[in-house]
Short mmCIF file of all heavy atoms in Angstrom, two decimals:
data_model
loop_
_atom_site.label_atom_id
_atom_site.label_comp_id
_atom_site.label_asym_id
_atom_site.label_seq_id
_atom_site.Cartn_x
_atom_site.Cartn_y
_atom_site.Cartn_z
N VAL M 116 142.96 19.47 141.52
CA VAL M 116 141.78 19.74 142.35
C VAL M 116 142.15 19.73 143.83
O VAL M 116 141.72 20.60 144.61
CB VAL M 116 140.68 18.71 142.05
CG1 VAL M 116 139.47 18.94 142.96
CG2 VAL M 116 140.26 18.79 140.59
N ALA M 117 142.96 18.76 144.23
CA ALA M 117 143.37 18.67 145.63
C ALA M 117 144.18 19.89 146.05
O ALA M 117 144.06 20.36 147.19
CB ALA M 117 144.18 17.39 145.85
N LEU M 118 145.00 20.41 145.16
CA LEU M 118 145.82 21.57 145.50
C LEU M 118 144.97 22.80 145.75
O LEU M 118 145.15 23.51 146.75
CB LEU M 118 146.82 21.84 144.37
CG LEU M 118 147.73 23.06 144.57
CD1 LEU M 118 148.60 22.88 145.80
CD2 LEU M 118 148.60 23.30 143.34
N PHE M 119 144.04 23.08 144.87
CA PHE M 119 143.22 24.28 145.02
C PHE M 119 142.30 24.19 146.23
O PHE M 119 142.12 25.17 146.96
CB PHE M 119 142.41 24.53 143.76
CG PHE M 119 143.21 25.09 142.62
CD1 PHE M 119 143.24 24.46 141.38
CD2 PHE M 119 143.96 26.25 142.77
CE1 PHE M 119 143.98 24.97 140.33
CE2 PHE M 119 144.71 26.76 141.73
CZ PHE M 119 144.72 26.12 140.50
N PHE M 120 141.71 23.03 146.46
CA PHE M 120 140.77 22.91 147.58
C PHE M 120 141.48 22.62 148.90
O PHE M 120 141.04 23.10 149.95
CB PHE M 120 139.75 21.79 147.29
CG PHE M 120 138.63 22.21 146.40
CD1 PHE M 120 138.74 22.13 145.02
CD2 PHE M 120 137.45 22.71 146.93
CE1 PHE M 120 137.71 22.52 144.19
CE2 PHE M 120 136.40 23.10 146.11
CZ PHE M 120 136.53 23.01 144.73
N GLY M 121 142.56 21.84 148.87
CA GLY M 121 143.25 21.51 150.10
C GLY M 121 144.04 22.65 150.68
O GLY M 121 144.27 22.72 151.90
N ASP M 122 144.47 23.56 149.82
CA ASP M 122 145.31 24.68 150.27
C ASP M 122 144.51 25.88 150.73
O ASP M 122 145.02 26.73 151.45
CB ASP M 122 146.24 25.08 149.11
CG ASP M 122 147.17 26.21 149.48
OD1 ASP M 122 148.12 25.96 150.24
OD2 ASP M 122 146.94 27.35 149.02
N THR M 123 143.24 25.95 150.37
CA THR M 123 142.49 27.19 150.50
C THR M 123 142.31 27.65 151.95
O THR M 123 142.55 28.82 152.28
CB THR M 123 141.12 27.06 149.81
OG1 THR M 123 140.44 28.30 149.90
CG2 THR M 123 140.26 25.97 150.44
N ILE M 124 141.90 26.78 152.87
CA ILE M 124 141.71 27.17 154.27
C ILE M 124 142.98 26.93 155.08
O ILE M 124 143.38 27.75 155.91
CB ILE M 124 140.54 26.40 154.90
CG1 ILE M 124 139.23 26.74 154.19
CG2 ILE M 124 140.43 26.71 156.38
CD1 ILE M 124 138.78 28.16 154.35
N ALA M 125 143.63 25.80 154.82
CA ALA M 125 144.83 25.45 155.59
C ALA M 125 145.94 26.48 155.42
O ALA M 125 146.71 26.73 156.35
CB ALA M 125 145.33 24.06 155.17
N SER M 126 146.04 27.07 154.22
CA SER M 126 147.09 28.07 154.01
C SER M 126 146.84 29.32 154.85
O SER M 126 147.77 29.92 155.40
CB SER M 126 147.17 28.45 152.53
OG SER M 126 145.95 29.02 152.07
N GLU M 127 145.57 29.71 154.99
CA GLU M 127 145.24 30.86 155.84
C GLU M 127 145.61 30.56 157.30
O GLU M 127 146.12 31.43 158.01
CB GLU M 127 143.75 31.18 155.73
CG GLU M 127 143.28 31.64 154.37
CD GLU M 127 143.67 33.07 154.07
OE1 GLU M 127 144.23 33.74 154.95
OE2 GLU M 127 143.42 33.52 152.93
N ALA M 128 145.36 29.32 157.71
CA ALA M 128 145.70 28.95 159.08
C ALA M 128 147.22 28.92 159.28
O ALA M 128 147.72 29.33 160.33
CB ALA M 128 145.09 27.59 159.41
N SER M 129 147.94 28.42 158.28
CA SER M 129 149.40 28.35 158.41
C SER M 129 150.03 29.73 158.43
O SER M 129 151.10 29.92 159.01
CB SER M 129 149.99 27.52 157.26
OG SER M 129 149.81 28.17 156.01
N TRP M 130 149.38 30.71 157.78
CA TRP M 130 149.88 32.08 157.79
C TRP M 130 149.41 32.85 159.02
O TRP M 130 149.74 34.04 159.18
CB TRP M 130 149.42 32.84 156.54
CG TRP M 130 149.91 32.26 155.26
CD1 TRP M 130 151.06 31.57 155.06
CD2 TRP M 130 149.26 32.34 153.99
NE1 TRP M 130 151.17 31.19 153.74
CE2 TRP M 130 150.08 31.66 153.06
CE3 TRP M 130 148.08 32.90 153.53
CZ2 TRP M 130 149.75 31.53 151.71
CZ3 TRP M 130 147.74 32.78 152.20
CH2 TRP M 130 148.57 32.11 151.30
N SER M 131 148.60 32.21 159.86
CA SER M 131 148.00 32.85 161.05
C SER M 131 147.12 34.03 160.68
O SER M 131 146.98 34.98 161.46
CB SER M 131 149.10 33.30 162.03
OG SER M 131 149.84 32.19 162.51
N SER M 132 146.52 33.98 159.52
CA SER M 132 145.64 35.06 159.07
C SER M 132 144.16 34.67 159.12
O SER M 132 143.30 35.53 158.92
CB SER M 132 146.00 35.46 157.63
OG SER M 132 145.87 34.37 156.74
N LEU M 133 143.87 33.41 159.39
CA LEU M 133 142.48 32.97 159.39
C LEU M 133 141.68 33.64 160.51
O LEU M 133 140.55 34.07 160.31
CB LEU M 133 142.41 31.45 159.52
CG LEU M 133 141.01 30.82 159.47
CD1 LEU M 133 140.30 31.19 158.18
CD2 LEU M 133 141.09 29.30 159.61
N LYS M 134 142.27 33.73 161.70
CA LYS M 134 141.56 34.34 162.82
C LYS M 134 141.29 35.83 162.58
O LYS M 134 140.26 36.35 163.01
CB LYS M 134 142.34 34.13 164.12
CG LYS M 134 143.75 34.71 164.11
CD LYS M 134 144.49 34.36 165.40
CE LYS M 134 145.92 34.87 165.38
NZ LYS M 134 146.66 34.48 166.62
N TYR M 135 142.21 36.49 161.89
CA TYR M 135 141.99 37.90 161.58
C TYR M 135 140.92 38.07 160.51
O TYR M 135 140.16 39.04 160.52
CB TYR M 135 143.30 38.55 161.14
CG TYR M 135 144.36 38.51 162.20
CD1 TYR M 135 145.46 37.67 162.09
CD2 TYR M 135 144.27 39.32 163.34
CE1 TYR M 135 146.45 37.62 163.08
CE2 TYR M 135 145.24 39.29 164.34
CZ TYR M 135 146.33 38.43 164.20
OH TYR M 135 147.27 38.39 165.18
N LEU M 136 140.87 37.12 159.58
CA LEU M 136 139.84 37.16 158.55
C LEU M 136 138.46 37.01 159.16
O LEU M 136 137.51 37.72 158.78
CB LEU M 136 140.10 36.05 157.52
CG LEU M 136 139.17 36.00 156.30
CD1 LEU M 136 139.31 37.26 155.47
CD2 LEU M 136 139.48 34.78 155.45
N LEU M 137 138.34 36.11 160.12
CA LEU M 137 137.06 35.90 160.78
C LEU M 137 136.71 37.06 161.71
O LEU M 137 135.54 37.31 162.01
CB LEU M 137 137.09 34.60 161.59
CG LEU M 137 137.26 33.32 160.77
CD1 LEU M 137 137.38 32.11 161.70
CD2 LEU M 137 136.11 33.13 159.81
N ALA M 138 137.73 37.80 162.17
CA ALA M 138 137.50 38.93 163.06
C ALA M 138 137.11 40.19 162.32
O ALA M 138 136.81 41.21 162.95
CB ALA M 138 138.74 39.20 163.91
N VAL M 139 137.06 40.18 161.00
CA VAL M 139 136.77 41.39 160.20
C VAL M 139 135.44 42.04 160.57
O VAL M 139 135.41 43.27 160.70
CB VAL M 139 136.87 41.05 158.71
CG1 VAL M 139 136.25 42.15 157.85
CG2 VAL M 139 138.33 40.85 158.33
N PRO M 140 134.29 41.33 160.72
CA PRO M 140 134.16 39.89 160.71
C PRO M 140 133.58 39.37 159.40
O PRO M 140 132.70 39.98 158.81
CB PRO M 140 133.18 39.64 161.85
CG PRO M 140 132.27 40.84 161.79
CD PRO M 140 133.11 42.00 161.29
N VAL M 141 134.08 38.20 158.97
CA VAL M 141 133.50 37.46 157.85
C VAL M 141 132.91 36.19 158.43
O VAL M 141 133.62 35.43 159.09
CB VAL M 141 134.55 37.11 156.78
CG1 VAL M 141 133.89 36.44 155.59
CG2 VAL M 141 135.32 38.34 156.34
N PRO M 142 131.61 35.93 158.24
CA PRO M 142 131.01 34.71 158.79
C PRO M 142 131.75 33.45 158.31
O PRO M 142 132.23 33.39 157.18
CB PRO M 142 129.58 34.75 158.24
CG PRO M 142 129.31 36.19 157.99
CD PRO M 142 130.62 36.77 157.54
N ARG M 143 131.83 32.47 159.17
CA ARG M 143 132.60 31.27 158.85
C ARG M 143 132.11 30.59 157.58
O ARG M 143 132.92 30.18 156.73
CB ARG M 143 132.54 30.28 160.03
CG ARG M 143 133.29 30.75 161.26
CD ARG M 143 133.48 29.61 162.23
NE ARG M 143 134.22 30.05 163.41
CZ ARG M 143 134.91 29.23 164.20
NH1 ARG M 143 134.94 27.94 163.93
NH2 ARG M 143 135.55 29.70 165.24
N GLN M 144 130.81 30.42 157.48
CA GLN M 144 130.29 29.71 156.32
C GLN M 144 130.52 30.50 155.03
O GLN M 144 130.66 29.92 153.96
CB GLN M 144 128.79 29.41 156.51
CG GLN M 144 128.51 28.41 157.62
CD GLN M 144 129.28 27.11 157.45
OE1 GLN M 144 129.36 26.55 156.37
NE2 GLN M 144 129.87 26.63 158.55
N ARG M 145 130.56 31.83 155.15
CA ARG M 145 130.85 32.64 153.97
C ARG M 145 132.31 32.47 153.56
O ARG M 145 132.63 32.38 152.37
CB ARG M 145 130.55 34.11 154.23
CG ARG M 145 130.80 35.00 153.01
CD ARG M 145 130.33 36.41 153.21
NE ARG M 145 130.64 37.25 152.07
CZ ARG M 145 129.90 37.31 150.96
NH1 ARG M 145 128.80 36.57 150.85
NH2 ARG M 145 130.24 38.10 149.97
N VAL M 146 133.21 32.43 154.55
CA VAL M 146 134.62 32.19 154.24
C VAL M 146 134.78 30.87 153.51
O VAL M 146 135.44 30.79 152.46
CB VAL M 146 135.47 32.18 155.53
CG1 VAL M 146 136.88 31.70 155.24
CG2 VAL M 146 135.51 33.57 156.15
N LEU M 147 134.16 29.83 154.03
CA LEU M 147 134.27 28.50 153.43
C LEU M 147 133.64 28.48 152.05
O LEU M 147 134.21 27.91 151.11
CB LEU M 147 133.61 27.47 154.34
CG LEU M 147 133.83 26.00 153.97
CD1 LEU M 147 135.30 25.64 154.10
CD2 LEU M 147 132.99 25.09 154.85
N ARG M 148 132.46 29.09 151.91
CA ARG M 148 131.77 29.06 150.63
C ARG M 148 132.53 29.84 149.56
O ARG M 148 132.71 29.35 148.44
CB ARG M 148 130.36 29.64 150.78
CG ARG M 148 129.56 29.58 149.48
CD ARG M 148 128.16 30.13 149.65
NE ARG M 148 128.16 31.58 149.85
CZ ARG M 148 127.83 32.17 150.98
NH1 ARG M 148 127.51 31.46 152.04
NH2 ARG M 148 127.84 33.49 151.09
N GLN M 149 132.97 31.05 149.90
CA GLN M 149 133.66 31.87 148.91
C GLN M 149 134.96 31.21 148.45
O GLN M 149 135.29 31.19 147.26
CB GLN M 149 133.96 33.25 149.49
CG GLN M 149 132.72 34.05 149.88
CD GLN M 149 131.86 34.45 148.71
OE1 GLN M 149 131.01 33.68 148.26
NE2 GLN M 149 132.07 35.64 148.20
N LYS M 150 135.70 30.66 149.41
CA LYS M 150 136.95 30.02 149.05
C LYS M 150 136.73 28.74 148.26
O LYS M 150 137.51 28.41 147.36
CB LYS M 150 137.77 29.74 150.32
CG LYS M 150 138.41 31.00 150.90
CD LYS M 150 139.31 30.68 152.07
CE LYS M 150 140.13 31.90 152.47
NZ LYS M 150 141.13 32.28 151.45
N ALA M 151 135.66 28.01 148.58
CA ALA M 151 135.35 26.79 147.83
C ALA M 151 134.93 27.13 146.39
O ALA M 151 135.32 26.43 145.45
CB ALA M 151 134.24 26.01 148.53
N ILE M 152 134.17 28.21 146.22
CA ILE M 152 133.74 28.61 144.87
C ILE M 152 134.95 29.02 144.03
O ILE M 152 135.08 28.61 142.87
CB ILE M 152 132.73 29.77 144.95
CG1 ILE M 152 131.41 29.28 145.55
CG2 ILE M 152 132.47 30.36 143.57
CD1 ILE M 152 130.39 30.37 145.78
N VAL M 153 135.84 29.81 144.62
CA VAL M 153 137.04 30.22 143.89
C VAL M 153 137.91 29.01 143.55
O VAL M 153 138.44 28.90 142.43
CB VAL M 153 137.84 31.26 144.71
CG1 VAL M 153 139.20 31.51 144.09
CG2 VAL M 153 137.06 32.57 144.81
N SER M 154 138.05 28.10 144.49
CA SER M 154 138.83 26.88 144.23
C SER M 154 138.19 26.07 143.11
O SER M 154 138.90 25.51 142.26
CB SER M 154 138.91 26.03 145.50
OG SER M 154 139.58 26.72 146.53
N GLY M 155 136.86 26.01 143.09
CA GLY M 155 136.18 25.30 142.02
C GLY M 155 136.37 25.95 140.67
O GLY M 155 136.57 25.26 139.65
N LEU M 156 136.33 27.28 140.63
CA LEU M 156 136.54 28.00 139.37
C LEU M 156 137.95 27.78 138.84
O LEU M 156 138.15 27.54 137.64
CB LEU M 156 136.28 29.49 139.57
CG LEU M 156 134.83 29.90 139.85
CD1 LEU M 156 134.74 31.39 140.16
CD2 LEU M 156 133.93 29.55 138.66
N LEU M 157 138.94 27.85 139.72
CA LEU M 157 140.32 27.64 139.30
C LEU M 157 140.56 26.20 138.85
O LEU M 157 141.26 25.96 137.86
CB LEU M 157 141.27 28.01 140.44
CG LEU M 157 141.34 29.49 140.81
CD1 LEU M 157 142.21 29.69 142.03
CD2 LEU M 157 141.87 30.32 139.64
N SER M 158 139.97 25.25 139.56
CA SER M 158 140.11 23.84 139.17
C SER M 158 139.47 23.59 137.81
O SER M 158 140.07 22.93 136.95
CB SER M 158 139.46 22.94 140.23
OG SER M 158 140.08 23.08 141.49
N ALA M 159 138.26 24.10 137.62
CA ALA M 159 137.58 23.91 136.34
C ALA M 159 138.36 24.57 135.20
O ALA M 159 138.47 24.00 134.11
CB ALA M 159 136.16 24.49 136.41
N PHE M 160 138.92 25.75 135.47
CA PHE M 160 139.70 26.44 134.43
C PHE M 160 140.92 25.61 134.04
O PHE M 160 141.23 25.47 132.85
CB PHE M 160 140.14 27.81 134.93
CG PHE M 160 141.00 28.56 133.95
CD1 PHE M 160 140.45 29.13 132.81
CD2 PHE M 160 142.36 28.71 134.16
CE1 PHE M 160 141.23 29.81 131.89
CE2 PHE M 160 143.16 29.39 133.27
CZ PHE M 160 142.59 29.95 132.12
N ALA M 161 141.61 25.05 135.02
CA ALA M 161 142.79 24.24 134.73
C ALA M 161 142.40 22.97 133.97
O ALA M 161 143.11 22.56 133.03
CB ALA M 161 143.50 23.87 136.03
N LEU M 162 141.28 22.36 134.35
CA LEU M 162 140.86 21.12 133.69
C LEU M 162 140.35 21.38 132.28
O LEU M 162 140.38 20.48 131.43
CB LEU M 162 139.77 20.44 134.52
CG LEU M 162 140.20 19.97 135.92
CD1 LEU M 162 139.03 19.35 136.66
CD2 LEU M 162 141.34 18.98 135.82
N VAL M 163 139.85 22.57 132.02
CA VAL M 163 139.43 22.93 130.66
C VAL M 163 140.63 23.38 129.83
O VAL M 163 140.69 23.15 128.61
CB VAL M 163 138.36 24.04 130.71
CG1 VAL M 163 138.08 24.60 129.31
CG2 VAL M 163 137.07 23.50 131.32
N LEU M 164 141.59 24.01 130.49
CA LEU M 164 142.77 24.51 129.78
C LEU M 164 143.56 23.38 129.13
O LEU M 164 144.06 23.54 128.01
CB LEU M 164 143.67 25.28 130.76
CG LEU M 164 144.95 25.89 130.19
CD1 LEU M 164 144.62 26.97 129.16
CD2 LEU M 164 145.80 26.48 131.33
N LEU M 165 143.67 22.25 129.80
CA LEU M 165 144.45 21.14 129.26
C LEU M 165 143.92 20.63 127.93
O LEU M 165 144.68 20.56 126.96
CB LEU M 165 144.51 20.00 130.29
CG LEU M 165 145.26 18.75 129.85
CD1 LEU M 165 146.71 19.07 129.51
CD2 LEU M 165 145.18 17.67 130.92
N PRO M 166 142.64 20.27 127.79
CA PRO M 166 142.16 19.82 126.48
C PRO M 166 142.15 20.92 125.42
O PRO M 166 142.35 20.63 124.24
CB PRO M 166 140.75 19.30 126.77
CG PRO M 166 140.35 19.94 128.04
CD PRO M 166 141.60 20.13 128.83
N LEU M 167 141.95 22.17 125.83
CA LEU M 167 141.95 23.25 124.85
C LEU M 167 143.34 23.43 124.23
O LEU M 167 143.47 23.52 123.00
CB LEU M 167 141.50 24.56 125.51
CG LEU M 167 140.00 24.76 125.70
CD1 LEU M 167 139.72 26.09 126.39
CD2 LEU M 167 139.26 24.68 124.37
N VAL M 168 144.35 23.50 125.07
CA VAL M 168 145.71 23.64 124.55
C VAL M 168 146.11 22.40 123.78
O VAL M 168 146.74 22.48 122.71
CB VAL M 168 146.70 23.90 125.70
CG1 VAL M 168 148.13 23.96 125.18
CG2 VAL M 168 146.35 25.20 126.42
N SER M 169 145.73 21.22 124.27
CA SER M 169 146.05 19.97 123.58
C SER M 169 145.40 19.92 122.20
O SER M 169 146.02 19.44 121.24
CB SER M 169 145.58 18.77 124.42
OG SER M 169 146.22 18.74 125.67
N LEU M 170 144.19 20.43 122.10
CA LEU M 170 143.51 20.44 120.81
C LEU M 170 144.23 21.35 119.83
O LEU M 170 144.44 20.99 118.66
CB LEU M 170 142.06 20.89 120.98
CG LEU M 170 141.21 20.92 119.72
CD1 LEU M 170 141.08 19.51 119.13
CD2 LEU M 170 139.82 21.50 120.02
N GLY M 171 144.62 22.54 120.28
CA GLY M 171 145.34 23.45 119.41
C GLY M 171 146.67 22.89 118.96
O GLY M 171 147.03 22.96 117.79
N VAL M 172 147.40 22.30 119.91
CA VAL M 172 148.69 21.70 119.58
C VAL M 172 148.50 20.52 118.64
O VAL M 172 149.26 20.32 117.68
CB VAL M 172 149.42 21.27 120.86
CG1 VAL M 172 150.68 20.47 120.53
CG2 VAL M 172 149.77 22.48 121.70
N GLY M 173 147.46 19.71 118.90
CA GLY M 173 147.20 18.55 118.06
C GLY M 173 146.84 18.92 116.64
O GLY M 173 147.26 18.25 115.68
N VAL M 174 146.05 19.97 116.47
CA VAL M 174 145.69 20.41 115.11
C VAL M 174 146.92 20.86 114.35
O VAL M 174 147.08 20.57 113.15
CB VAL M 174 144.63 21.54 115.19
CG1 VAL M 174 144.44 22.18 113.80
CG2 VAL M 174 143.31 21.00 115.71
N LEU M 175 147.82 21.57 115.03
CA LEU M 175 149.04 22.05 114.37
C LEU M 175 149.96 20.91 113.97
O LEU M 175 150.57 20.93 112.88
CB LEU M 175 149.78 23.02 115.29
CG LEU M 175 149.13 24.39 115.52
CD1 LEU M 175 149.92 25.19 116.53
CD2 LEU M 175 149.00 25.16 114.20
N TRP M 176 150.07 19.90 114.80
CA TRP M 176 151.04 18.83 114.55
C TRP M 176 150.45 17.64 113.79
O TRP M 176 151.11 17.05 112.95
CB TRP M 176 151.64 18.36 115.86
CG TRP M 176 152.98 18.94 116.16
CD1 TRP M 176 154.20 18.44 115.84
CD2 TRP M 176 153.25 20.19 116.82
NE1 TRP M 176 155.21 19.26 116.25
CE2 TRP M 176 154.66 20.36 116.87
CE3 TRP M 176 152.45 21.17 117.39
CZ2 TRP M 176 155.26 21.46 117.45
CZ3 TRP M 176 153.05 22.26 117.96
CH2 TRP M 176 154.43 22.40 118.00
N TYR M 177 149.19 17.30 114.11
CA TYR M 177 148.65 16.04 113.59
C TYR M 177 147.40 16.21 112.73
O TYR M 177 146.90 15.23 112.18
CB TYR M 177 148.35 15.09 114.75
CG TYR M 177 149.53 14.90 115.66
CD1 TYR M 177 149.47 15.29 117.01
CD2 TYR M 177 150.72 14.36 115.19
CE1 TYR M 177 150.56 15.14 117.84
CE2 TYR M 177 151.82 14.21 116.03
CZ TYR M 177 151.73 14.60 117.36
OH TYR M 177 152.82 14.46 118.18
N GLY M 178 146.88 17.43 112.64
CA GLY M 178 145.75 17.68 111.76
C GLY M 178 144.41 17.39 112.41
O GLY M 178 144.31 16.68 113.41
N ALA M 179 143.35 17.96 111.81
CA ALA M 179 142.00 17.81 112.34
C ALA M 179 141.31 16.63 111.69
O ALA M 179 140.36 16.77 110.92
CB ALA M 179 141.20 19.10 112.11
N GLY M 180 141.79 15.42 112.02
CA GLY M 180 141.20 14.21 111.45
C GLY M 180 140.17 13.58 112.36
O GLY M 180 139.78 14.15 113.39
#
Side-chain angles (χ1 to χ4, degrees):
V116 177
L118 178 62
F119 284 124
F120 279 88
D122 181 73
T123 182
I124 297 295
S126 61
E127 295 284 355
S129 67
W130 298 332
S131 297
S132 59
L133 183 57
K134 58 184 177 182
Y135 298 108
L136 184 63
L137 296 176
V139 166
V141 184
R143 291 194 179 203
Q144 293 306 316
R145 182 173 177 82
V146 170
L147 190 64
R148 183 179 70 249
Q149 298 294 85
K150 285 185 169 292
I152 292 175
V153 170
S154 298
L156 292 175
L157 292 175
S158 298
F160 178 73
L162 296 178
V163 171
L164 181 64
L165 178 60
L167 280 179
V168 176
S169 299
L170 181 63
V172 172
V174 170
L175 290 176
W176 261 269
Y177 307 117

